[in-house]
Each structure stands twice: as C-alpha cells, then as structure tokens.
Amino acid sequence: MNSYDSIVVGGGVSGLLSALVLSKSGKNVLLLEKNRNLGNNCNSYLVNGYRVDTGPHAITQLHNGGPLRYLMENYFDYVPALIDYGDYFIREEEGLKEVPTTLKGYLTMDVLPRKDRLIIAQSLTKMLLSWEFGADISNVSVYQSLPWNTLSSDTKEFMDTFSYFLSGKSAKETSVQRMFVGGGFIEEDIDKDIIRENSEHQHSDKFKRLSYVSRLLNNNKVNYNQYYPRNGLKAVLNSILYSLPETVEIKTNTAVEKIVTENDIAKGVLTKEGPYFADIIVYSAFAKDLPKYITDLPAPYISDLNRIKQSKSLTIWLGLDEAFEEFNYIGGEVWFKKKSFWAMPISNYNKSFAPKGKKLVGFMFSIDENSSLESEKLEAYNTILRVYPSINKHIDMVHYQITIPEKASVAIDGFIADTVTPIKNLYLVGTDADDRSMGITRAAYSIVKLITVLRKEKILDS
Ligand SMILES: Cc1cc2nc3c(=O)[nH]c(=O)nc-3n(C[C@H](O)[C@H](O)[C@H](O)COP(=O)(O)OP(=O)(O)OC[C@H]3O[C@@H](n4cnc5c(N)ncnc54)[C@H](O)[C@@H]3O)c2cc1C
C-alpha cells in the first residue's frame, strides 16, 4: 500500500507525537525516518556500562496547562515516571550557590559585584513593569535592557551564559522577555491553544501579567515545574512508541527525498523505495531545509526560512569511578567564567545509569561555529579539568556528543516558522515551528498548535 491518510516526515519526538495524535484521532499514518533508530535528540544509550542521554535534559512546564502534560493526559497510554528536576546552582571557585528565584535573591547573590546586582535588579524590574503595562519586550535584547558597558566582565559573562542556555544565542541576540520566561516570571501565552479550554487558569491576559510581576516584586519563590524522566530520556520515547496504535506504520532507514506537490497542494513524498501519497503531510525535519524538498516554494517564504538560526552544542559525558562529592546534588549547575557550561549529574536521579559505586555527569557547552570541533572539544575538556581540579584522577569514561539541540534558536532577528505553510496540506511541527519554551516542551507546543489548526480545517474532529 502506498496511500495513507497522513505521512509524517521524521521520527524524533515531534514526528512521533504527531503520529500519535493523528492515529488516535482516527487517521492511518506512515512515519518515515531517515536514520536507523527513532528518537534522534530524545534517546538514551549505553557507553561502557553508563547509560547516557542525548544531552542533559530538564523537561519544562509539566504543570497542569503545560503542552506535554496535555498530550500525555489525552493521548498517552501511560506516562513515564518523572522526578522533580531539583535546583539550579551557580558554581564558583568556592563551591555552589543556588540560582536566585526572587528579586531579593538577585540582590543578595554575591557571585556578581554589588553595583551590578543593583543595576540588574533595577533594569529588569523596569522592563517587567513596562511589560506589565502592555509594552512589547520580545524584541528588546538582554544586552539592550542593561547598561552593558558599565557592567564588570564577570557580569557580562553571567548574562551571556544564561542567554545561551535560554535561546542558544548571546545576550545581544536573546530577548529580555525570554529571560523572564526562563526565570519563571512571565508565563508563556497558551491562550490560543486548546490547552486553555481544559485548563484551570482561565484569567485575562492583564491579570496574568500583574500576577507575574507581583511574583518578582513580592519575592515569591518561582516554581520551575521541571522534571527529569526517572528511567532516562528514552523512557519518554518508549512511552510514545508504546502508545502508538497499529494504524501507524513506521519505516526507518527511509529518507524523504522530495515532497510531491501539484498546484501548491502537497500530495505525497518520494523515497528510494518509491512514492507514498497522503491527504496531509506533517514535516518534522529542519524547516530551513524545506526548499531542498520542494522546488517551487514562494520566494518570500524561502527568504524567511533562510533567517532561521541554529546553534550547536557539545556534551561531554564523564563516568567517574567514585561518588565525587562535588556532584552530590539533584539538579543542574552552571559555570559562567571563561568557557561556560551546564552540568547535570544524572546518575543521582537513577543509580542504574552508572556501574555500582560510580557516577555519570553530563557537561553541555555551546560551540563556536567558527572554531574547529577538535579545538572546541579540547577547550571544553580542559575547562572541566580547571573547574574540578581533582576530577582527572577519577575519569573512567569520556563520551562526546555534538548536536543541534533545537531546529531554530529563538534569536531576536531569527525566524520561527508556523504550522501552516504556503503549500496546502503540508504542516510543520518541531522546535522551529513554535517559539514557546524550549526543547521537548516547544516540540509539544507545536503539536498542540497542529491539533488546533487541523481541527479548524476540519481535518480532525473537535
Ligand atoms: C544537548 C542537548 C540538550 C537538550 N536539553 C534539553 C532540555 O533540557 N530540555 C528539553 O526539553 N529539550 C532539550 N533538548 C532538545 C530536545 O531534545 C529536542 O528539542 C527534541 O528532542 C527535538 O525533537 P524533534 O523531533 O523536534 O527534532 P529531531 O530530534 O531533530 O527529529 C527530527 C527527525 O527528522 C529526521 N529527518 C530529517 N530529515 C529527514 C528526511 N529527509 N527524511 C526522514 N527523516 C528525516 C531526523 O533524522 C530526526 O530523527 C536538548 C537537546 C540536546 C541535543
């Protein structure tokens, strides 16, 4: 058979969630994945007895009203066991300091000079208040929101580091709004989505804005609502795969080479095995690659797709031959001086990820596109040795991963595509088809948007 209700291109988490939603809504689905395995950026595998994930992960917005929670409750046959992510710390030469979640916390956080802390607190409060009164701060960069040139180099590195973790880009390219969302001070706007219909929080936008400003001003602690799957990232993949009905046919090792269109309507796809046809095509590969698959896209759309920005990351997984007391916490730590990184000792969530008595820690770095990979790897590895001087004697396993964590960075002058494309019946999902939150949560937002669009177009029943 080569004719289906729907074809999904790509078998990462976005493609699989699309297949799940379509099939559970009564459509038969053909999912095509070019690699041998499904999951791509959402997976785990064994390296010398250690079970590493495809990068350190914290899954955000798993509260009631969050997109992945919505999908889990409505489409999953079972939900993977999730553990509270824990705390975020900043590592200094002397040890760890908890990342503040209140204005008072920022003011007393002595990792930065006092003068800078006051400037940051004043500038950010001003920004948040202007947002409260309706200003659009989505195009104001973190860099523009602060008197940058008056800040110490430590503070600049600190702001750059957090910008990289929130958007994949520097403070010059990261919007201050994204900083507030990442810090939990602004809630992402989910009004347009169907989640809101099912959610308890149905207040007006104005009320929502005020309540989040008061969080900062009244020093209420932010609840991050972030989790880690107890059995590793693969547990998320497995729960989706288990939930897929038999009406989903999966072909791995099958790359889509062309998307077949006729009068600007998508009709099917071409692969080495031949053509497949469907009423709708959901595309979860890189949106910026679409012009390779469809030759007659409108020029303005191609130029928008060309504005999509991406960043690369390097994860170094270290297996340590002892418990190593620097990593005796649950959560993540950030190092921001010179070469910054995010570290996560994941065997603290589940001891079975490391051989008995050993520890597994992931260190994630942003990569400079202009440097060679080998020099980036060496510099990152040496940074770890510099920050934890005694770690060298305990390294039992080293594993490198180089990946593009998100298909589009939410950079100020970047572009994020939409679900709907200029080609009828061709829809986009994934981290380049929505700008809310990050990673798996952003992928889930894009699927919720897909459901909304397909219901509106009467392709799915409401
Ligand atoms: C180091 C790192 C850290 C991360 N940290 C977090 C985190 O803390 N929290 C979080 O939520 N997320 C995080 N993420 C991001 C998260 O893992 C991804 O956003 C998510 O897994 C992306 O899924 P996706 O399906 O959209 O994209 P992908 O995983 O890229 O899937 C796309 C799929 O399409 C396939 N494909 C491409 N072209 C074709 C073709 N022509 N034919 C057929 N198939 C094709 C690819 O092979 C791939 O399998 C992190 C990722 C990395 C790498």
Side-chain angles (χ1 to χ4, degrees):
M1 165 172 140
N2 72 350
S3 189
Y4 298 81
D5 295 332
S6 46
I7 291 174
V8 174
V9 181
V13 75
S14 315
L16 289 165
L17 284 172
S18 307
L20 180 64
V21 163
L22 289 164
S23 56
K24 291 232 165 165
S25 307
K27 305 286 179 199
N28 67 28
V29 182
L30 171 67
L31 182 142
L32 300 167
E33 166 55 51
K34 71 173 179 185
N35 291 335
R36 191 160 55 96
N37 296 316
L38 296 166
N40 199 42
N41 273 338
C42 180
N43 215 336
S44 322
Y45 53 93
L46 280 173
V47 182
N48 297 344
Y50 293 87
R51 191 180 161 93
V52 304
D53 286 339
T54 40
H57 275 68
I59 305 181
T60 57
Q61 298 188 10
L62 275 166
H63 56 290
N64 188 17
L68 187 58
R69 170 90 180 266
Y70 169 81
L71 294 174
M72 284 174 165
E73 281 175 0
N74 289 281
Y75 297 95
F76 282 42
D77 291 353
Y78 78 90
V79 170
L82 297 159
I83 310 174
D84 193 286
Y85 179 77
D87 291 310
Y88 282 97
F89 301 95
I90 295 163
R91 183 170 288 277
E92 285 226 288
E93 275 83 358
E94 313 84 67
L96 295 175
K97 300 240 160 72
E98 214 173 303
V99 173
T101 55
T102 64
L103 187 60
K104 192 169 158 211
Y106 279 105
L107 282 168
T108 52
M109 179 183 62
D110 59 5
V111 296
L112 303 178
R114 186 165 180 280
K115 172 184 83 64
D116 287 1
R117 282 182 263 145
L118 286 171
I119 293 174
I120 293 173
Q122 272 172 0
S123 307
L124 295 189
T125 309
K126 209 170 104 195
M127 274 291 147
L128 203 53
L129 281 169
S130 71
W131 174 80
E132 177 204 321
F133 287 103
D136 177 8
I137 56 169
S138 60
N139 284 323
V140 179
S141 70
V142 173
Y143 171 87
Q144 287 167 325
S145 72
L146 295 165
W148 195 258
N149 292 334
T150 66
L151 301 174
S152 68
S153 56
D154 266 6
T155 305
K156 288 179 192 165
E157 277 186 290
F158 181 85
M159 299 312 284
D160 258 336
T161 298
F162 277 89
S163 300
Y164 273 113
F165 289 126
L166 291 170
S167 74
K169 295 287 168 191
S170 72
K172 280 191 176 160
E173 293 176 276
T174 303
S175 101
V176 69
Q177 177 162 319
R178 196 146 181 86
M179 196 99 176
F180 288 136
V181 171
F185 294 114
I186 292 182
E187 188 189 68
E188 226 106 31
D189 178 15
I190 55 171
D191 286 2
K192 289 184 235 91
D193 293 330
I194 49 173
I195 303 173
R196 187 60 81 184
E197 291 165 18
N198 298 25
S199 157
E200 290 156 6
H201 357 71
Q202 290 200 353
H203 41 61
S204 72
D205 184 55
K206 181 75 176 167
F207 175 79
K208 192 172 74 190
R209 286 191 176 214
L210 284 174
S211 68
Y212 285 91
V213 173
S214 73
R215 257 188 195 179
L216 181 68
L217 299 181
N218 296 335
N219 294 326
N220 293 334
K221 195 172 178 341
V222 167
N223 180 0
Y224 287 115
N225 276 306
Q226 297 191 0
Y227 292 83
Y228 177 75
R230 189 174 67 206
N231 292 317
L233 211 45
K234 196 175 188 141
V236 175
L237 174 68
N238 285 344
S239 63
I240 304 173
L241 290 175
Y242 180 88
S243 306
L244 289 177
E246 281 175 0
T247 47
V248 180
E249 189 181 334
I250 295 181
K251 289 181 187 283
T252 53
N253 278 325
T254 309
V256 166
E257 294 171 347
K258 279 267 171 279
I259 295 175
V260 182
T261 62
E262 209 179 281
N263 301 326
D264 294 338
I265 303 174
K267 297 284 178 187
V269 297
L270 284 185
T271 69
K272 276 210 170 67
E273 291 173 8
Y276 295 101
F277 300 98
D279 299 335
I280 65 162
I281 294 170
V282 177
Y283 175 92
S284 79
F286 291 157
K288 74 184 185 71
D289 287 349
L290 262 184
K292 286 188 207 159
Y293 299 105
I294 305 173
T295 39
D296 48 0
L297 284 171
Y301 189 62
I302 295 179
S303 86
D304 279 341
L305 295 177
N306 284 339
R307 287 200 293 119
I308 290 181
K309 294 196 173 179
Q310 292 182 328
S311 56
K312 266 198 190 143
S313 70
L314 161 69
T315 301
I316 303 183
W317 289 101
L318 291 187
L320 304 174
D321 67 6
E322 57 147 67
F324 211 77
E325 67 173 31
E326 270 90 341
F327 299 117
N328 279 344
Y329 61 84
I330 298 276
E333 66 172 87
V334 172
W335 171 262
F336 69 94
K337 292 178 186 172
K338 303 289 178 288
K339 187 131 184 110
S340 60
F341 61 77
W342 169 36
M344 185 175 164
I346 67 163
S347 57
N348 289 350
Y349 296 91
N350 186 330
K351 285 198 167 40
S352 75
F353 293 168
K356 202 163 184 286
K358 299 188 179 182
K359 185 152 279 189
L360 177 63
V361 190
F363 301 84
M364 182 181 155
F365 297 79
S366 284
I367 295 189
D368 178 356
E369 299 279 343
N370 301 318
S371 306
S372 80
L373 271 186
E374 282 319 304
S375 71
E376 285 287 326
K377 278 159 95 173
L378 191 65
E379 198 189 340
Y381 189 78
N382 285 337
T383 303
I384 298 173
L385 300 189
R386 172 164 57 86
V387 177
Y388 313 91
S390 56
I391 206 168
N392 207 8
K393 298 190 280 278
H394 299 287
I395 296 175
D396 178 43
M397 181 279 292
V398 187
H399 179 65
Y400 293 92
Q401 293 165 336
I402 294 175
T403 31
I404 296 174
E406 304 198 295
K407 291 182 262 185
S409 306
V410 187
I412 280 189
D413 52 352
F415 179 73
I416 303 284
D418 203 354
T419 318
V420 175
T421 69
I423 304 294
K424 193 171 159 36
N425 298 342
L426 173 69
Y427 303 92
L428 303 188
V429 290
T431 47
D432 48 10
D434 206 304
D435 64 356
R436 290 167 293 178
S437 192
M438 48 185 72
I440 293 174
T441 309
R442 190 173 330 152
Y445 266 123
S446 78
I447 308 301
V448 174
K449 216 156 74 178
L450 176 75
I451 299 171
T452 314
V453 168
L454 294 184
R455 283 186 182 174
K456 233 183 239 162
E457 296 187 2
K458 309 271 184 251
I459 291 168
L460 294 186
D461 294 335
S462 295

